[in-house]
Each structure stands twice: as structure tokens, then as C-alpha cells.
């Protein structure tokens, strides 16, 4: 089976915002406690943070991490997480039916971000709280000093402001499950006024307003139109979320879902354009896809805790999806979609980073390891920086149950003009047949293959575990050749592949 691609150096989609490869840490399950923070762990640093986890996060070169939620933020008092640790209150977290010790808050998280070399994307609580807390939180976080809240921060040991530039105005406010759920008009008004107040403090902040929690919400996409009509001039991004599942055990259909993601992005881009035109605005609003991942493996297991059957446990295992090889392909497809829509998607956050639907897992007191999905995220984040190329793709199709015609070949490409690298991220959706890939390369000069990494496995259900952490990992690809303006390679069935060329 053959597939052809044309890549031209001058035909581009957009410069990729590095924040396309962001992630997310929520006070949920073991993401924070026994995830990033475990003072008694043998590798703990002076702040009680696990060094083994820090090293793995560093490997991923994560540019930004969203914090502290998620559903958690909608009943969170940020003040509970600052000041002397032994005076911090234990609170009941209503979103995840657990107890929150508040031993980690803004200061500890910001220090951790410094350790891993990432920026913070903070969310304010627009569920149980509102404008007043948001402006106080911002003053505490970003003001130099000489005001009540900024002086509290200094008294709490942080002289210099945290200088957080990117703020989310609440989380999934369209969801009936959200504490303080609102109608689009209620939320739009509140988000507008909160954004106005935050901009009055600092007009250069970047603000993210909540879009739909997924494309199946009954209010989608009218929600986006109404919310943007209230907020268009005050915000920079609208957030979208999407989680993928394969409960039906239908691989062909599962791997077609990224086409739905593409339609979701295109629809919201259309709504943005509609509101922009209606407002006669010259300003652009982009998409912050600040929650995405595969999430279904753990759902049955979590039910008892979420329904309150375990009382109010502290940091219980929740949303601990064990990712399999099939999920490698899905994550590769999602990242390809973001790269190919990097004209409108500027920020995206893999939800989440440690233990909770995460590429990194830990055992309390024990090891940390890379889940299967660590790798496609790693390849995109580390090698997918530069300019996304607008590829012409000719691939044979199949018909998926819920989606219709789907190309077997899925591909994105990034050109780093500075280093001269052209990197292709490739997924073959075919269940049994290899694809003979033929890429025509125009205007790049002579290119040669400098790296070739492939992921494939005969068992789609295989996972990496603490005992066997390397069951699934990339190996060096074979047979890719670049000569006379052509790249050729045989792409194995159900495989993920990264091929890097250099001038
Ligand atoms: O990431 C897990 C949860 O999924 C988040 O808390 C929420 O925003 C979404 O529903």
C-alpha cells in the first residue's frame, strides 16, 4: 500500500508556540502528594519534591504546566495553600471526594516549576468564588510589594513576584458536575468582569476563557459563541478539552477519533471568526486546548471513591490509567492534529503529568517510570519546535464506524530553520499492512536522515509497569532513506514513527 506526501519549505501553517506541548498538575489523586511531592522519598530534595520525577519531567522539556485544577479549582481557596505549613487547614475537596492537606500550594508549586524549568499557567476559582478572590490572588502572585497581598507573599518568604503571565478564568464552567456551574450568560458576564479587573492590574496578562468541556456537551458550540460575545475583547484564548476512550475495543474506530478532534478545532475556530466579525474586531483569539489525553482505563476502578464509598481519603489513587501500546498511537495522532492546527491552537496541555492520567507514574517510596504515552509526547515536545509545514497528503482510506472515511497515513512535519532539521511525525493506522511512504521534499536542499525512531508492538494491550518499565519503548527505525529531494520509508502497520532529516 502506497502513500505520498509533498513538503515545501515555503508552504507553512504557523510558527509553533512552544506551549503547544504543555501539561497539567491538579490537586487530584496522587498527582501532587506521592507524585511530585513526597518528603520521605529517598530522592526528595530540600523542598520535599521527588528528584526522580523532576528528572523525568525535565526529559519531556515541558514548557508550561497548568495548576491547580481542573475541577479541583472550582472550590479551592488559594489562601489555604500559603503561609506556614503547620497552620494550613485540611479541606474537603468536593470535586474528587478527598481530603486536601494544603501542604503544597503556590509557593511550593512555583519552586517545583523552577526545578523542572517550566512556566506556570494558573487557574482562578470562578465556581464557588469570583472576581474579588481572583484579583487578590493576582496581587499576591504578581505585585512587587507595598500592598496588603503582595506584602503577605513577601512575609511568606517570596520577595520577588511569581510573575505568572497566563491565567485561566475558571475551569469547565459549562459542566453540570462543576462546583458553581453556570449558564453561558452567567459565566460570560463573570469572566468578562474578572478579566477586566485582572487587566486593570496588568494589561499584558494572557487570559483564557472556558469553552466547552467536550464536543458532546448539549450547549456546544452555542456556549463558545455566547461566552465570546461577552468576553472577546478581554481574552486571548478560549479553552477546549477532549478525552479519548476505546471501551468498545474497536481499534480502527478509536484511531479515527483524531478526525473528530480536528472538526472540534475547526468548529471553534469558526465560532471565533464569527464573533470577531460580529464585533468588528481586529484582535485575534486563539485556542488553548488545555486538557487532552486518553482517559478510560481507570474509570470503573474509581467509581467507589468518587461516589464517597471510601470517606474522604487523602491522595488516594485516582484516574491512574495504565496506558497501553494502542494509546501510543492515539497520543501520536492527537499531537499531529495540534501541529497541523497550530495556526489556531497555540497552547495545549497533556492532562495530566504525574500519576493522574499521566505519562509518568510513581510508587510511594519506590520507583518512577515512563508510561507508554510518554514517548510520543517526548518526541513532539523535544523535536517538534519550529514551523509546522503544510503538507499535501495522498493516502488510501478506510471507513470507521463513527467517523466515516479515514486516511491510513497520519502525518505532521516541523521545520526548524535555525538548526536545519525537518522532523516528520507519522502514524500508520492500518491494522495489518505497511505503508510505502514517499515524501517529495522541495526547497530544503540536500537532506539526510539523522534520527529515526519507531514504536510498534504485536500486543496492543501491553503496558509499562513498575516491574517492567521498558515493555514498550522506541527503537531505531530501519530503511528510511533521503536522497535527491525524496524521503522513502516503509511504515509498519499500527506504528508510530519519528524521522528527522537535516540539511
Ligand atoms: O483532568 C481530569 C479532569 O477532567 C479535570 O479536573 C476536569 O477539568 C476534567 O473534567
Amino acid at each position: 500500500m502506497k502513500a505520498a506526501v509533498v513538503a515545501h519549505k515555503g508552504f507553512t501553517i504557523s510558527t509553533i508556540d512552544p506551549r503547544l506541548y504543555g501539561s497539567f498538575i491538579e490537586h487530584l489523586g496522587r498527582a501532587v502528594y506521592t507524585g511530585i511531592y513526597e518528603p520521605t522519598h529517598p530522592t526528595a530534595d530540600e523542598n520535599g519534591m521527588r528528584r526522580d520525577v523532576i528528572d523525568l519531567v525535565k526529559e519531556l522539556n515541558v514548557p508550561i504546566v497548568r495548576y491547580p485544577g481542573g475541577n479541583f479549582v472550582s472550590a479551592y481557596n488559594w489562601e489555604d495553600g500559603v503561609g506556614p505549613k503547620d497552620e494550613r487547614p485540611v479541606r474537603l475537596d468536593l470535586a474528587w471526594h478527598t481530603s486536601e492537606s494544603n501542604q503544597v500550594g503556590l509557593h511550593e508549586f512555583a519552586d517545583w516549576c523552577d526545578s523542572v524549568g517550566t512556566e506556570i499557567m494558573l487557574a482562578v476559582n470562578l465556581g464557588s468564588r469570583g472576581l474579588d478572590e481572583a484579583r487578590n490572588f493576582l496581587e499576591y502572585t504578581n505585585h512587587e510589594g507595598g500592598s496588603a497581598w503582595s506584602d503577605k507573599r513577601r512575609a511568606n518568604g517570596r520577595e520577588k513576584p511569581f510573575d505568572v503571565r497566563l491565567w485561566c478564568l475558571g475551569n469547565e464552567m459549562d459542566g453540570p458536575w462543576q462546583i458553581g456551574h453556570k449558564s453561558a450568560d452567567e459565566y460570560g458576564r463573570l469572566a468578562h468582569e474578572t478579566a477586566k479587573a485582572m487587566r486593570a492590574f496588568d494589561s499584558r496578562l494572557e487570559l483564557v476563557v472556558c469553552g466547552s468541556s467536550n464536543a458532546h456537551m448539549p450547549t456546544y458550540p452555542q456556549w463558545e459563541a455566547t461566552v465570546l460575545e461577552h468576553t472577546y475583547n478581554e481574552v486571548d484564548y478560549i479553552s477546549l478539552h477532549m478525552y479519548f476512550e476505546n471501551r468498545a475495543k474497536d481499534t480502527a474506530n478509536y484511531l479515527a477519533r483524531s478526525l473528530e478532534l480536528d472538526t472540534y478545532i475547526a468548529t471553534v475556530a469558526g465560532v471565533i471568526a464569527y464573533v470577531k466579525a460580529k464585533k468588528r474586531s481586529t484582535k485575534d483569539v486563539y485556542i488553548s486546548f488545555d486538557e487532552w489525553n486518553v482517559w478510560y482505563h481507570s474509570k470503573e476502578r474509581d467509581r467507589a471513591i468518587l461516589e464517597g464509598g471510601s470517606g474522604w481519603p487523602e491522595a488516594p489513587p485516582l484516574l491512574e490509567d495504565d496506558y497501553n501500546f494502542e494509546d501510543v498511537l492515539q497520543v501520536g495522532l492527537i499531537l499531529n492534529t495540534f501541529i497541523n492546527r497550530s495556526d489556531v491552537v497555540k497552547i495545549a496541555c497533556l492532562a495530566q503529568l504525574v500519576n493522574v492520567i499521566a505519562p509518568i507514574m510513581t510508587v510511594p517510596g519506590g520507583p518512577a517510570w515512563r508510561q507508554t504515552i510518554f514517548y510520543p509526547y517526548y518526541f513532539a515536545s523535544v523535536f517538534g519546535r519550529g514551523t509546522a509545514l503544510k503538507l499535501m497528503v495522498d493516502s488510501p482510506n478506510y471507513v470507521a464506524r463513527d467517523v466515516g472515511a479515514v486516511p491510513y497515513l497520519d502525518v505532521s512535519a516541523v521545520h526548524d530553520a535555525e538548526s536545519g532539521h525537518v522532523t516528520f511525525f507519522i502514524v500508520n493506522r492500518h491494522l495489518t499492512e505497511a505503508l510505502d511512504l514517499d515524501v517529495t521534499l522541495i526547497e530544503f536542499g540536500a537532506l539526510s536522515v539523522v534520527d529515526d525512531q519507531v514504536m510498534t508492538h504485536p500486543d496492543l494491550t501491553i503496558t509499562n509497569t513498575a516491574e517492567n518499565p521498558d515493555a514498550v519503548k522506541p527503537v531505531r527505525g530501519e530503511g528510511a532513506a533521503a536522497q535527491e529531494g525524496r524521503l522513502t520509508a516503509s511504515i509498519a502497520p499500527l506504528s508510530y514513527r519519528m524521522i528527522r532529516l537535516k540539511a
Side-chain angles (χ1 to χ4, degrees), residues 13 68 82 118 132 229 233 282 287 312 341:
I13 297 168
V82 302
T118 194
D132 214 32
E229 284 187 21
N233 291 325
T282 51
I287 292 172
W312 298 90
R341 291 315 316 262

Side-chain angles (χ1 to χ4, degrees), residues 28 41 46 54 56 172 215 243 271 275 291 328 367 401 450:
L28 192 187
H41 192 270
E46 63 286 4
I54 288 174
L56 287 171
E172 293 190 349
Y243 290 100
V271 176
V275 179
E291 285 186 35
V328 169
R401 187 164 41 90
V450 290

Side-chain angles (χ1 to χ4, degrees), residues 24 26 28 70-71 96 171-172 243 291 295 319 352 357:
F24 176 31
E26 177 168 2
L28 192 187
N71 295 339
W96 302 106
N171 174 70
E172 293 190 349
Y243 290 100
E291 285 186 35
W295 174 14
L319 280 64
Q352 302 189 6
I357 39 175

Side-chain angles (χ1 to χ4, degrees), residues 16 37 77 208 221 246 258 270 358 373 381 391 439 443 469 478:
I16 292 174
Y37 177 76
N77 300 337
V208 186
N246 185 18
S258 59
I373 63 163
S381 175
L391 305 174
V439 184
E443 294 287 327
E478 282 173 11

Side-chain angles (χ1 to χ4, degrees), residues 418-469:
E418 232 170 81
S419 69
H421 284 100
V422 184
T423 306
F424 288 88
F425 302 99
I426 303 160
V427 176
N428 180 0
R429 292 185 175 100
H430 204 293
L431 304 187
T432 52
E433 280 186 47
L435 279 171
D436 288 332
L437 177 65
D438 189 335
V439 184
T440 305
L441 301 155
I442 305 172
E443 294 287 327
F444 294 99
L447 294 170
S448 51
V449 177
V450 290
D451 197 4
D452 183 357
Q453 300 288 332
V454 62
M455 296 187 72
T456 182
H457 205 284
D459 179 2
L460 288 177
T461 65
I462 191 159
T463 59
N464 288 347
T465 60
E467 297 72 35
N468 190 5

